[in-house]
Amino acid sequence: APPDVGSHAVEKLITALGILIGFSWEQCFDTAVDVVSEGFEETCPPIVTKLVMSIMLVAIVFPAWRLYILKTEQELNDQSLAKVVLHTAAGMHRDMFMSKEVDEHALDLAHLKMKHHRRCALGISHAASTEGLVHLQVTASGIRKVESAGGEPGSPAPPHG
């Protein structure tokens, strides 16, 4: 099956779970509002208590949703998958950089991978575009010249592990 099918299935599963959790929270809030309004029944009509609590809930939840959740959602929608991968790789690289347990070799490999993600996300040509410069990649399987998918030096390198 193509990789898009798996990604699409995971997205649908996450959406379904989000809706399920949303309905669960709605039921919890509805029950809580009923219980509290019944507790204040002697001093205030239940409909007024429910209205005041609903207004308070919106006053607390809406600004948080607008400032954090909506902002994050819009940023993710504005970015391509490559930029999301770059953002994630940068966070992981920062964590590795700040850890005493990560050796220099692993940090060097992470940095090279992050540079690759950056080139892909931002559409930057590889350094091989400099006249007379040959860019080589050294891997466990040997040394190879970095070229574009079309075979012309200077274009972005094809994606690889």
Side-chain angles (χ1 to χ4, degrees):
D4 291 343
V5 173
S7 298
H8 185 69
V10 169
E11 282 184 29
K12 293 297 181 186
L13 180 64
I14 290 171
T15 301
L17 288 174
I19 291 170
L20 179 66
I21 291 168
F23 281 128
S24 299
W25 274 104
E26 192 276 330
Q27 288 294 315
C28 290
F29 276 106
D30 188 49
T31 303
V33 166
D34 286 343
V35 169
V36 171
S37 66
E38 288 173 10
F40 283 102
E41 198 167 26
E42 294 176 8
T43 59
C44 187
I47 193 76
V48 174
T49 305
K50 288 181 179 183
L51 177 65
V52 169
M53 289 184 359
S54 297
I55 291 171
M56 287 174 43
L57 177 66
V58 170
I60 292 169
V61 172
F62 182 75
W65 172 81
R66 185 175 171 271
L67 293 173
Y68 299 105
I69 297 172
L70 181 62
K71 178 179 161 187
T72 302
E73 176 68 20
Q74 287 174 335
E75 286 174 3
L76 288 174
N77 284 336
D78 291 344
Q79 295 179 0
S80 66
L81 177 60
K83 287 186 180 180
V84 173
V85 169
L86 174 61
H87 188 269
T88 304
M92 292 171 59
H93 191 267
R94 181 197 66 235
D95 293 344
M96 289 177 71
F97 192 78
M98 298 303 292
S99 173
K100 286 183 178 181
E101 289 79 33
V102 177
D103 65 9
E104 293 291 314
H105 177 69
L107 194 58
D108 289 343
L109 290 175
H111 183 73
L112 291 173
K113 285 183 181 179
M114 192 171 77
K115 286 176 59 177
H116 172 73
H117 292 310
R118 179 177 179 264
R119 285 190 302 272
C120 290
L122 302 178
I124 298 172
S125 295
H126 203 279
S129 63
T130 305
E131 188 68 33
L133 178 67
V134 176
H135 186 84
L136 303 175
Q137 181 181 33
V138 180
T139 66
S141 60
I143 301 173
R144 73 174 187 90
K145 185 176 179 182
V146 176
E147 295 182 357
S148 71
E152 296 179 21
S155 299
H160 55 280

